[in-house]
């Protein structure tokens, strides 16, 4: 039995991260000898944590809140996706720090392959303009939506983000109040409002016939956003599938083997009691 290669997720908080469970399931399924830990690393301390981890023989890591932008700044070899998002969630070490961002591709795999929801040609509304949205905008725009509107409580942040991605496709920014009278086919909640049991103020009539609503957060019970969407008859999904898909992309980068995500999503869903 070869000695297991060491990986981890770094972030703060990280105690309840599902990444160790997901990667352990992937490793068992594909016969890869890896060990995967969760390490709490406060903002501003990523460089030191990575040095220590590499000294222990660490091969690669996932990066979560609040360190994704810091990881981008520390990367010696960022992929185009990282340069575009200015945020990284997957690192590996070989002649320096390599960095990729698998959040956007993970979301697209969940939307298109698992749910059968297309983005091309759709009127797309994204709620929020923080780190979570930064990672998914480029890959969503690459799908050729008719229009992407970023709505945020702090309109300035939405405008900044739309400005950064203007060259990638038709992207616009506004505050929630300016959504009145507009209609969308796909709405993605990237705010952290659900964490506090809150819902951004959304107008009536926002959802077009057959609209779909996706929350980047996941929970055993519907988030306030998904409960709102279901009440208007929309198809809904939380972000558990995206979580597993972005992990599968990382695993594939590290190990060169693509795990089967469907049984892992189903198992986690059962364990969550959902
Ligand atoms: P993350 O990395 O999770 O995206 P973030 O960068 O702090 O975290 O961004 C959080 C996002 O959720 C922001 O868009 C934030 O809006 P502001 O930019 O106005 O702060 C949004 N958000 C958080 N709580 C919210 C609430 N109760 N209602 C609406 N938006 C909220």
């Amino acid at each position: 039995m070869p000695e297991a290669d060491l990986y981890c997720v770094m972030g703060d908080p990280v105690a309840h991260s599902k990444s160790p469970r997901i990667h352990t399931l992937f490793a068992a399924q594909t016969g890869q000898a890896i060990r995967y830990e969760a390490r709490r690393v406060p903002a501003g301390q990523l460089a030191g944590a990575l040095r220590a981890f590499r000294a222990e023989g660490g091969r690669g890591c996932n990066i979560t809140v609040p360190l994704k932008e810091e990881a981008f700044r520390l990367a010696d070899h960022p992929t185009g996706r990282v340069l575009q998002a200015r945020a990284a969630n997957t690192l590996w070490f070989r002649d320096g720090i390599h960095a990729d961002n698998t959040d956007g591709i993970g979301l697209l795999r969940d939307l298109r392959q698992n749910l059968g929801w297309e983005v091309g040609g759709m009127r797309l509304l994204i709620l929020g303009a923080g780190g979570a949205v930064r990672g998914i905008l480029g890959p969503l725009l690459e799908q050729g939506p008719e229009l992407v509107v970023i709505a945020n409580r702090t309109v300035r942040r939405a405008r900044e983000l739309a400005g950064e991605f203007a060259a990638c496709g038709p992207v616009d920014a506004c505050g929630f109040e300016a959504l009145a009278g507009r209609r969308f086919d796909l709405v993605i909640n990237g705010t952290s409002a659900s964490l506090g049991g809150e819902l951004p103020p959304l107008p009536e009539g926002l959802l077009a016939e057959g609209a779909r609503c996706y929350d980047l957060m996941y929970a055993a019970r519907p988030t306030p956003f998904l409960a709102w969407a279901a009440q208007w008859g929309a198809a809904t999904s939380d972000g558990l599938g995206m979580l597993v898909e972005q992990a599968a992309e990382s695993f594939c980068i590290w190990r060169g083997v693509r795990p089967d995500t469907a049984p892992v999503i189903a198992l986690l869903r059962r364990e969550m009691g959902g």
Side-chain angles (χ1 to χ4, degrees):
M1 186 82 176
E3 201 183 324
D5 292 332
L6 177 62
Y7 296 86
C8 76
V9 56
M10 294 186 182
D12 187 19
V14 86
H16 297 291
S17 168
K18 292 199 185 298
S19 291
R21 177 88 176 115
I22 293 170
H23 283 280
T24 303
L25 289 166
F26 286 165
Q29 186 198 89
T30 57
Q32 294 283 311
I34 75 161
R35 198 152 52 86
Y36 191 108
E37 302 174 348
R39 297 193 173 193
R40 191 176 79 83
V41 177
Q45 296 182 23
L46 183 59
L50 288 177
R51 261 196 308 278
F53 183 61
R54 291 175 74 179
E56 284 172 52
R59 300 283 291 266
C61 57
N62 286 127
I63 302 293
T64 188
V65 176
L67 305 173
K68 290 182 185 181
E69 283 91 349
E70 215 172 312
F72 153 70
R73 290 193 294 273
L74 291 171
D76 302 302
H77 308 285
T79 60
R81 298 194 290 220
V82 169
L83 292 172
Q84 186 184 49
R86 301 176 66 80
N89 77 333
T90 306
L91 305 182
W92 65 103
F93 315 118
R94 199 176 49 219
D95 60 27
I97 299 174
H98 291 250
D100 202 350
N101 192 323
T102 65
D103 285 334
I105 187 104
L107 170 64
L108 281 178
R109 276 192 173 268
D110 197 34
L111 290 176
R112 300 185 66 208
Q113 259 111 45
N114 299 341
L115 297 164
W117 297 3
E118 285 305 328
V119 177
M122 297 293 154
R123 291 166 292 175
L124 173 55
L125 171 64
I126 300 181
L127 308 173
V133 171
R134 172 170 287 287
I136 61 171
L137 256 181
L140 285 170
L141 281 163
E142 271 170 28
Q143 295 295 307
E146 183 183 313
L147 171 74
V148 175
V149 173
I150 305 170
N152 197 44
R153 184 172 60 181
T154 312
V155 184
R156 176 184 50 77
R157 290 183 83 190
R159 291 217 179 96
E160 281 168 10
L161 209 50
E164 261 183 66
F165 285 84
C168 305
V171 54
D172 213 348
C174 66
F176 295 122
E177 68 297 334
L179 292 172
R182 306 193 69 169
R183 284 160 84 77
F184 295 90
D185 307 300
L186 175 60
V187 185
I188 296 177
N189 181 29
T191 73
S192 46
S194 300
L195 281 179
E198 289 177 32
L199 175 69
L202 300 174
E204 244 178 68
L206 185 69
L207 303 178
E209 182 78 31
R212 289 149 169 177
C213 292
Y214 192 97
D215 202 323
L216 299 185
M217 301 261 161
Y218 58 88
R221 286 158 26 94
T223 64
F225 168 67
L226 294 182
W228 172 88
Q231 176 201 311
W232 293 106
T236 62
S237 175
D238 73 1
L240 184 69
M242 172 184 173
L243 178 78
V244 175
E245 295 294 347
Q246 63 78 29
E249 291 294 326
S250 299
F251 191 89
C252 194
I253 288 169
W254 293 330
R255 310 302 298 183
V257 189
R258 176 172 294 283
D260 183 6
T261 50
V264 175
I265 296 171
L267 179 61
L268 290 185
R269 187 67 77 192
R270 280 201 302 280
E271 288 175 356
M272 278 165 57

PDB file of all heavy atoms in Angstrom, residues 168-202:
ATOM      1  N   CYS A 168     -16.515  40.267 -21.797  1.00  0.00           N
ATOM      2  CA  CYS A 168     -16.864  38.837 -21.936  1.00  0.00           C
ATOM      3  C   CYS A 168     -18.284  38.618 -22.453  1.00  0.00           C
ATOM      4  O   CYS A 168     -18.649  37.482 -22.769  1.00  0.00           O
ATOM      5  CB  CYS A 168     -16.723  38.115 -20.604  1.00  0.00           C
ATOM      6  SG  CYS A 168     -15.115  38.298 -19.867  1.00  0.00           S
ATOM      7  N   GLY A 169     -19.114  39.669 -22.480  1.00  0.00           N
ATOM      8  CA  GLY A 169     -20.491  39.489 -22.933  1.00  0.00           C
ATOM      9  C   GLY A 169     -21.383  40.594 -22.428  1.00  0.00           C
ATOM     10  O   GLY A 169     -20.909  41.531 -21.773  1.00  0.00           O
ATOM     11  N   PRO A 170     -22.711  40.484 -22.711  1.00  0.00           N
ATOM     12  CA  PRO A 170     -23.648  41.543 -22.329  1.00  0.00           C
ATOM     13  C   PRO A 170     -23.967  41.496 -20.837  1.00  0.00           C
ATOM     14  O   PRO A 170     -24.800  40.718 -20.395  1.00  0.00           O
ATOM     15  CB  PRO A 170     -24.888  41.230 -23.168  1.00  0.00           C
ATOM     16  CG  PRO A 170     -24.809  39.755 -23.402  1.00  0.00           C
ATOM     17  CD  PRO A 170     -23.369  39.368 -23.393  1.00  0.00           C
ATOM     18  N   VAL A 171     -23.294  42.314 -20.045  1.00  0.00           N
ATOM     19  CA  VAL A 171     -23.489  42.278 -18.591  1.00  0.00           C
ATOM     20  C   VAL A 171     -23.760  43.682 -18.068  1.00  0.00           C
ATOM     21  O   VAL A 171     -23.092  44.635 -18.434  1.00  0.00           O
ATOM     22  CB  VAL A 171     -22.275  41.609 -17.881  1.00  0.00           C
ATOM     23  CG1 VAL A 171     -20.971  42.251 -18.254  1.00  0.00           C
ATOM     24  CG2 VAL A 171     -22.441  41.575 -16.373  1.00  0.00           C
ATOM     25  N   ASP A 172     -24.801  43.759 -17.213  1.00  0.00           N
ATOM     26  CA  ASP A 172     -25.307  45.030 -16.720  1.00  0.00           C
ATOM     27  C   ASP A 172     -25.408  44.966 -15.195  1.00  0.00           C
ATOM     28  O   ASP A 172     -25.383  43.870 -14.628  1.00  0.00           O
ATOM     29  CB  ASP A 172     -26.722  45.198 -17.309  1.00  0.00           C
ATOM     30  CG  ASP A 172     -27.029  46.646 -17.562  1.00  0.00           C
ATOM     31  OD1 ASP A 172     -26.273  47.500 -17.078  1.00  0.00           O
ATOM     32  OD2 ASP A 172     -28.041  46.883 -18.253  1.00  0.00           O
ATOM     33  N   ALA A 173     -25.539  46.101 -14.528  1.00  0.00           N
ATOM     34  CA  ALA A 173     -25.588  46.110 -13.061  1.00  0.00           C
ATOM     35  C   ALA A 173     -26.690  47.035 -12.568  1.00  0.00           C
ATOM     36  O   ALA A 173     -27.002  48.030 -13.226  1.00  0.00           O
ATOM     37  CB  ALA A 173     -24.249  46.581 -12.510  1.00  0.00           C
ATOM     38  N   CYS A 174     -27.277  46.691 -11.403  1.00  0.00           N
ATOM     39  CA  CYS A 174     -28.295  47.570 -10.813  1.00  0.00           C
ATOM     40  C   CYS A 174     -28.507  47.204  -9.348  1.00  0.00           C
ATOM     41  O   CYS A 174     -27.927  46.239  -8.843  1.00  0.00           O
ATOM     42  CB  CYS A 174     -29.621  47.450 -11.571  1.00  0.00           C
ATOM     43  SG  CYS A 174     -30.396  45.827 -11.433  1.00  0.00           S
ATOM     44  N   GLY A 175     -29.350  47.980  -8.684  1.00  0.00           N
ATOM     45  CA  GLY A 175     -29.781  47.660  -7.321  1.00  0.00           C
ATOM     46  C   GLY A 175     -31.065  46.835  -7.387  1.00  0.00           C
ATOM     47  O   GLY A 175     -31.675  46.718  -8.454  1.00  0.00           O
ATOM     48  N   PHE A 176     -31.499  46.269  -6.249  1.00  0.00           N
ATOM     49  CA  PHE A 176     -32.687  45.397  -6.270  1.00  0.00           C
ATOM     50  C   PHE A 176     -33.949  46.157  -6.695  1.00  0.00           C
ATOM     51  O   PHE A 176     -34.814  45.627  -7.384  1.00  0.00           O
ATOM     52  CB  PHE A 176     -32.892  44.751  -4.895  1.00  0.00           C
ATOM     53  CG  PHE A 176     -31.786  43.811  -4.518  1.00  0.00           C
ATOM     54  CD1 PHE A 176     -31.054  44.002  -3.356  1.00  0.00           C
ATOM     55  CD2 PHE A 176     -31.465  42.742  -5.328  1.00  0.00           C
ATOM     56  CE1 PHE A 176     -30.024  43.144  -3.008  1.00  0.00           C
ATOM     57  CE2 PHE A 176     -30.427  41.871  -5.000  1.00  0.00           C
ATOM     58  CZ  PHE A 176     -29.707  42.078  -3.832  1.00  0.00           C
ATOM     59  N   GLU A 177     -34.046  47.442  -6.292  1.00  0.00           N
ATOM     60  CA  GLU A 177     -35.271  48.208  -6.594  1.00  0.00           C
ATOM     61  C   GLU A 177     -35.434  48.408  -8.109  1.00  0.00           C
ATOM     62  O   GLU A 177     -36.562  48.501  -8.593  1.00  0.00           O
ATOM     63  CB  GLU A 177     -35.292  49.541  -5.824  1.00  0.00           C
ATOM     64  CG  GLU A 177     -34.263  50.587  -6.230  1.00  0.00           C
ATOM     65  CD  GLU A 177     -32.800  50.167  -6.015  1.00  0.00           C
ATOM     66  OE1 GLU A 177     -32.541  49.320  -5.142  1.00  0.00           O
ATOM     67  OE2 GLU A 177     -31.924  50.672  -6.740  1.00  0.00           O
ATOM     68  N   ALA A 178     -34.325  48.420  -8.829  1.00  0.00           N
ATOM     69  CA  ALA A 178     -34.386  48.644 -10.288  1.00  0.00           C
ATOM     70  C   ALA A 178     -34.829  47.388 -11.041  1.00  0.00           C
ATOM     71  O   ALA A 178     -34.919  47.399 -12.267  1.00  0.00           O
ATOM     72  CB  ALA A 178     -33.026  49.115 -10.798  1.00  0.00           C
ATOM     73  N   LEU A 179     -35.102  46.282 -10.318  1.00  0.00           N
ATOM     74  CA  LEU A 179     -35.532  45.044 -10.984  1.00  0.00           C
ATOM     75  C   LEU A 179     -37.022  45.048 -11.302  1.00  0.00           C
ATOM     76  O   LEU A 179     -37.492  44.212 -12.082  1.00  0.00           O
ATOM     77  CB  LEU A 179     -35.206  43.826 -10.100  1.00  0.00           C
ATOM     78  CG  LEU A 179     -33.715  43.520  -9.917  1.00  0.00           C
ATOM     79  CD1 LEU A 179     -33.517  42.416  -8.872  1.00  0.00           C
ATOM     80  CD2 LEU A 179     -33.091  43.101 -11.258  1.00  0.00           C
ATOM     81  N   ALA A 180     -37.769  45.985 -10.706  1.00  0.00           N
ATOM     82  CA  ALA A 180     -39.228  46.025 -10.912  1.00  0.00           C
ATOM     83  C   ALA A 180     -39.533  46.139 -12.404  1.00  0.00           C
ATOM     84  O   ALA A 180     -38.927  46.952 -13.106  1.00  0.00           O
ATOM     85  CB  ALA A 180     -39.817  47.216 -10.154  1.00  0.00           C
ATOM     86  N   GLY A 181     -40.424  45.277 -12.874  1.00  0.00           N
ATOM     87  CA  GLY A 181     -40.838  45.334 -14.281  1.00  0.00           C
ATOM     88  C   GLY A 181     -39.961  44.505 -15.218  1.00  0.00           C
ATOM     89  O   GLY A 181     -40.270  44.375 -16.397  1.00  0.00           O
ATOM     90  N   ARG A 182     -38.872  43.919 -14.705  1.00  0.00           N
ATOM     91  CA  ARG A 182     -38.006  43.107 -15.571  1.00  0.00           C
ATOM     92  C   ARG A 182     -38.292  41.630 -15.335  1.00  0.00           C
ATOM     93  O   ARG A 182     -38.762  41.255 -14.263  1.00  0.00           O
ATOM     94  CB  ARG A 182     -36.533  43.421 -15.272  1.00  0.00           C
ATOM     95  CG  ARG A 182     -36.245  44.904 -15.383  1.00  0.00           C
ATOM     96  CD  ARG A 182     -34.775  45.196 -15.397  1.00  0.00           C
ATOM     97  NE  ARG A 182     -34.147  44.720 -16.626  1.00  0.00           N
ATOM     98  CZ  ARG A 182     -32.907  45.040 -16.985  1.00  0.00           C
ATOM     99  NH1 ARG A 182     -32.178  45.805 -16.215  1.00  0.00           N
ATOM    100  NH2 ARG A 182     -32.387  44.595 -18.106  1.00  0.00           N
ATOM    101  N   ARG A 183     -38.000  40.793 -16.327  1.00  0.00           N
ATOM    102  CA  ARG A 183     -38.284  39.350 -16.220  1.00  0.00           C
ATOM    103  C   ARG A 183     -37.066  38.539 -16.641  1.00  0.00           C
ATOM    104  O   ARG A 183     -36.386  38.898 -17.600  1.00  0.00           O
ATOM    105  CB  ARG A 183     -39.472  38.975 -17.115  1.00  0.00           C
ATOM    106  CG  ARG A 183     -40.794  39.385 -16.540  1.00  0.00           C
ATOM    107  CD  ARG A 183     -41.829  39.438 -17.636  1.00  0.00           C
ATOM    108  NE  ARG A 183     -42.416  38.133 -17.897  1.00  0.00           N
ATOM    109  CZ  ARG A 183     -43.345  37.579 -17.117  1.00  0.00           C
ATOM    110  NH1 ARG A 183     -43.751  38.193 -16.035  1.00  0.00           N
ATOM    111  NH2 ARG A 183     -43.856  36.399 -17.420  1.00  0.00           N
ATOM    112  N   PHE A 184     -36.852  37.428 -15.927  1.00  0.00           N
ATOM    113  CA  PHE A 184     -35.654  36.614 -16.179  1.00  0.00           C
ATOM    114  C   PHE A 184     -36.018  35.131 -16.276  1.00  0.00           C
ATOM    115  O   PHE A 184     -36.975  34.671 -15.656  1.00  0.00           O
ATOM    116  CB  PHE A 184     -34.639  36.827 -15.055  1.00  0.00           C
ATOM    117  CG  PHE A 184     -34.105  38.246 -15.016  1.00  0.00           C
ATOM    118  CD1 PHE A 184     -34.740  39.217 -14.249  1.00  0.00           C
ATOM    119  CD2 PHE A 184     -33.012  38.611 -15.785  1.00  0.00           C
ATOM    120  CE1 PHE A 184     -34.282  40.531 -14.234  1.00  0.00           C
ATOM    121  CE2 PHE A 184     -32.539  39.916 -15.776  1.00  0.00           C
ATOM    122  CZ  PHE A 184     -33.176  40.880 -14.995  1.00  0.00           C
ATOM    123  N   ASP A 185     -35.183  34.397 -17.029  1.00  0.00           N
ATOM    124  CA  ASP A 185     -35.402  32.949 -17.213  1.00  0.00           C
ATOM    125  C   ASP A 185     -34.643  32.127 -16.186  1.00  0.00           C
ATOM    126  O   ASP A 185     -35.036  31.010 -15.839  1.00  0.00           O
ATOM    127  CB  ASP A 185     -34.900  32.523 -18.602  1.00  0.00           C
ATOM    128  CG  ASP A 185     -35.500  33.377 -19.701  1.00  0.00           C
ATOM    129  OD1 ASP A 185     -36.738  33.371 -19.821  1.00  0.00           O
ATOM    130  OD2 ASP A 185     -34.728  34.060 -20.403  1.00  0.00           O
ATOM    131  N   LEU A 186     -33.493  32.674 -15.745  1.00  0.00           N
ATOM    132  CA  LEU A 186     -32.649  31.959 -14.782  1.00  0.00           C
ATOM    133  C   LEU A 186     -32.142  32.974 -13.749  1.00  0.00           C
ATOM    134  O   LEU A 186     -31.590  34.006 -14.131  1.00  0.00           O
ATOM    135  CB  LEU A 186     -31.472  31.300 -15.516  1.00  0.00           C
ATOM    136  CG  LEU A 186     -30.405  30.610 -14.670  1.00  0.00           C
ATOM    137  CD1 LEU A 186     -31.007  29.469 -13.843  1.00  0.00           C
ATOM    138  CD2 LEU A 186     -29.284  30.039 -15.573  1.00  0.00           C
ATOM    139  N   VAL A 187     -32.379  32.681 -12.464  1.00  0.00           N
ATOM    140  CA  VAL A 187     -31.926  33.576 -11.397  1.00  0.00           C
ATOM    141  C   VAL A 187     -30.996  32.788 -10.482  1.00  0.00           C
ATOM    142  O   VAL A 187     -31.360  31.710  -9.985  1.00  0.00           O
ATOM    143  CB  VAL A 187     -33.111  34.140 -10.580  1.00  0.00           C
ATOM    144  CG1 VAL A 187     -32.604  35.155  -9.551  1.00  0.00           C
ATOM    145  CG2 VAL A 187     -34.147  34.789 -11.488  1.00  0.00           C
ATOM    146  N   ILE A 188     -29.785  33.303 -10.284  1.00  0.00           N
ATOM    147  CA  ILE A 188     -28.803  32.633  -9.426  1.00  0.00           C
ATOM    148  C   ILE A 188     -28.552  33.502  -8.210  1.00  0.00           C
ATOM    149  O   ILE A 188     -28.170  34.674  -8.346  1.00  0.00           O
ATOM    150  CB  ILE A 188     -27.489  32.387 -10.200  1.00  0.00           C
ATOM    151  CG1 ILE A 188     -27.755  31.434 -11.365  1.00  0.00           C
ATOM    152  CG2 ILE A 188     -26.410  31.821  -9.266  1.00  0.00           C
ATOM    153  CD1 ILE A 188     -26.545  31.167 -12.244  1.00  0.00           C
ATOM    154  N   ASN A 189     -28.786  32.949  -7.023  1.00  0.00           N
ATOM    155  CA  ASN A 189     -28.539  33.716  -5.798  1.00  0.00           C
ATOM    156  C   ASN A 189     -27.104  33.489  -5.322  1.00  0.00           C
ATOM    157  O   ASN A 189     -26.754  32.416  -4.856  1.00  0.00           O
ATOM    158  CB  ASN A 189     -29.521  33.298  -4.699  1.00  0.00           C
ATOM    159  CG  ASN A 189     -29.298  34.092  -3.426  1.00  0.00           C
ATOM    160  OD1 ASN A 189     -28.841  35.241  -3.466  1.00  0.00           O
ATOM    161  ND2 ASN A 189     -29.609  33.488  -2.290  1.00  0.00           N
ATOM    162  N   GLY A 190     -26.295  34.534  -5.444  1.00  0.00           N
ATOM    163  CA  GLY A 190     -24.910  34.461  -4.958  1.00  0.00           C
ATOM    164  C   GLY A 190     -24.683  35.361  -3.763  1.00  0.00           C
ATOM    165  O   GLY A 190     -23.534  35.613  -3.406  1.00  0.00           O
ATOM    166  N   THR A 191     -25.764  35.840  -3.132  1.00  0.00           N
ATOM    167  CA  THR A 191     -25.592  36.621  -1.901  1.00  0.00           C
ATOM    168  C   THR A 191     -25.438  35.658  -0.731  1.00  0.00           C
ATOM    169  O   THR A 191     -25.799  34.477  -0.827  1.00  0.00           O
ATOM    170  CB  THR A 191     -26.808  37.528  -1.600  1.00  0.00           C
ATOM    171  OG1 THR A 191     -27.894  36.700  -1.161  1.00  0.00           O
ATOM    172  CG2 THR A 191     -27.226  38.345  -2.801  1.00  0.00           C
ATOM    173  N   SER A 192     -24.921  36.173   0.375  1.00  0.00           N
ATOM    174  CA  SER A 192     -24.846  35.337   1.573  1.00  0.00           C
ATOM    175  C   SER A 192     -26.054  35.600   2.470  1.00  0.00           C
ATOM    176  O   SER A 192     -26.049  35.239   3.641  1.00  0.00           O
ATOM    177  CB  SER A 192     -23.528  35.592   2.308  1.00  0.00           C
ATOM    178  OG  SER A 192     -23.281  36.967   2.407  1.00  0.00           O
ATOM    179  N   ALA A 193     -27.113  36.211   1.915  1.00  0.00           N
ATOM    180  CA  ALA A 193     -28.304  36.544   2.710  1.00  0.00           C
ATOM    181  C   ALA A 193     -28.933  35.295   3.334  1.00  0.00           C
ATOM    182  O   ALA A 193     -29.395  35.336   4.480  1.00  0.00           O
ATOM    183  CB  ALA A 193     -29.326  37.274   1.841  1.00  0.00           C
ATOM    184  N   SER A 194     -28.903  34.164   2.584  1.00  0.00           N
ATOM    185  CA  SER A 194     -29.528  32.933   3.098  1.00  0.00           C
ATOM    186  C   SER A 194     -28.929  32.510   4.436  1.00  0.00           C
ATOM    187  O   SER A 194     -29.612  31.924   5.278  1.00  0.00           O
ATOM    188  CB  SER A 194     -29.335  31.788   2.111  1.00  0.00           C
ATOM    189  OG  SER A 194     -29.905  32.084   0.868  1.00  0.00           O
ATOM    190  N   LEU A 195     -27.645  32.792   4.609  1.00  0.00           N
ATOM    191  CA  LEU A 195     -26.961  32.400   5.855  1.00  0.00           C
ATOM    192  C   LEU A 195     -27.663  32.969   7.072  1.00  0.00           C
ATOM    193  O   LEU A 195     -27.755  32.328   8.113  1.00  0.00           O
ATOM    194  CB  LEU A 195     -25.510  32.912   5.841  1.00  0.00           C
ATOM    195  CG  LEU A 195     -24.489  32.134   5.040  1.00  0.00           C
ATOM    196  CD1 LEU A 195     -23.133  32.814   5.125  1.00  0.00           C
ATOM    197  CD2 LEU A 195     -24.393  30.703   5.561  1.00  0.00           C
ATOM    198  N   GLY A 196     -28.164  34.201   6.930  1.00  0.00           N
ATOM    199  CA  GLY A 196     -28.878  34.844   8.045  1.00  0.00           C
ATOM    200  C   GLY A 196     -30.379  34.643   7.937  1.00  0.00           C
ATOM    201  O   GLY A 196     -31.148  35.358   8.574  1.00  0.00           O
ATOM    202  N   GLY A 197     -30.800  33.687   7.097  1.00  0.00           N
ATOM    203  CA  GLY A 197     -32.234  33.419   6.931  1.00  0.00           C
ATOM    204  C   GLY A 197     -32.951  34.548   6.216  1.00  0.00           C
ATOM    205  O   GLY A 197     -34.165  34.687   6.306  1.00  0.00           O
ATOM    206  N   GLU A 198     -32.184  35.386   5.478  1.00  0.00           N
ATOM    207  CA  GLU A 198     -32.795  36.548   4.822  1.00  0.00           C
ATOM    208  C   GLU A 198     -32.910  36.343   3.317  1.00  0.00           C
ATOM    209  O   GLU A 198     -32.303  35.451   2.746  1.00  0.00           O
ATOM    210  CB  GLU A 198     -31.952  37.798   5.081  1.00  0.00           C
ATOM    211  CG  GLU A 198     -32.052  38.270   6.517  1.00  0.00           C
ATOM    212  CD  GLU A 198     -31.143  39.459   6.766  1.00  0.00           C
ATOM    213  OE1 GLU A 198     -30.944  40.241   5.819  1.00  0.00           O
ATOM    214  OE2 GLU A 198     -30.645  39.570   7.893  1.00  0.00           O
ATOM    215  N   LEU A 199     -33.703  37.237   2.709  1.00  0.00           N
ATOM    216  CA  LEU A 199     -33.946  37.180   1.276  1.00  0.00           C
ATOM    217  C   LEU A 199     -33.752  38.581   0.714  1.00  0.00           C
ATOM    218  O   LEU A 199     -34.292  39.540   1.271  1.00  0.00           O
ATOM    219  CB  LEU A 199     -35.402  36.726   1.060  1.00  0.00           C
ATOM    220  CG  LEU A 199     -35.949  36.702  -0.347  1.00  0.00           C
ATOM    221  CD1 LEU A 199     -35.291  35.614  -1.164  1.00  0.00           C
ATOM    222  CD2 LEU A 199     -37.456  36.485  -0.309  1.00  0.00           C
ATOM    223  N   PRO A 200     -32.964  38.742  -0.361  1.00  0.00           N
ATOM    224  CA  PRO A 200     -32.897  40.083  -0.974  1.00  0.00           C
ATOM    225  C   PRO A 200     -34.303  40.516  -1.374  1.00  0.00           C
ATOM    226  O   PRO A 200     -35.129  39.657  -1.729  1.00  0.00           O
ATOM    227  CB  PRO A 200     -32.015  39.855  -2.206  1.00  0.00           C
ATOM    228  CG  PRO A 200     -31.274  38.592  -1.941  1.00  0.00           C
ATOM    229  CD  PRO A 200     -32.182  37.756  -1.088  1.00  0.00           C
ATOM    230  N   PRO A 201     -34.612  41.809  -1.339  1.00  0.00           N
ATOM    231  CA  PRO A 201     -35.970  42.265  -1.704  1.00  0.00           C
ATOM    232  C   PRO A 201     -36.206  42.122  -3.202  1.00  0.00           C
ATOM    233  O   PRO A 201     -35.645  42.860  -3.993  1.00  0.00           O
ATOM    234  CB  PRO A 201     -35.967  43.739  -1.277  1.00  0.00           C
ATOM    235  CG  PRO A 201     -34.530  44.138  -1.268  1.00  0.00           C
ATOM    236  CD  PRO A 201     -33.718  42.911  -0.978  1.00  0.00           C
ATOM    237  N   LEU A 202     -37.026  41.127  -3.601  1.00  0.00           N
ATOM    238  CA  LEU A 202     -37.247  40.843  -5.024  1.00  0.00           C
ATOM    239  C   LEU A 202     -38.683  41.200  -5.399  1.00  0.00           C
ATOM    240  O   LEU A 202     -39.619  40.843  -4.678  1.00  0.00           O
ATOM    241  CB  LEU A 202     -36.987  39.361  -5.298  1.00  0.00           C
ATOM    242  CG  LEU A 202     -35.562  38.894  -4.976  1.00  0.00           C
ATOM    243  CD1 LEU A 202     -35.441  37.391  -5.127  1.00  0.00           C
ATOM    244  CD2 LEU A 202     -34.548  39.616  -5.863  1.00  0.00           C
TER     245      LEU A 202
END
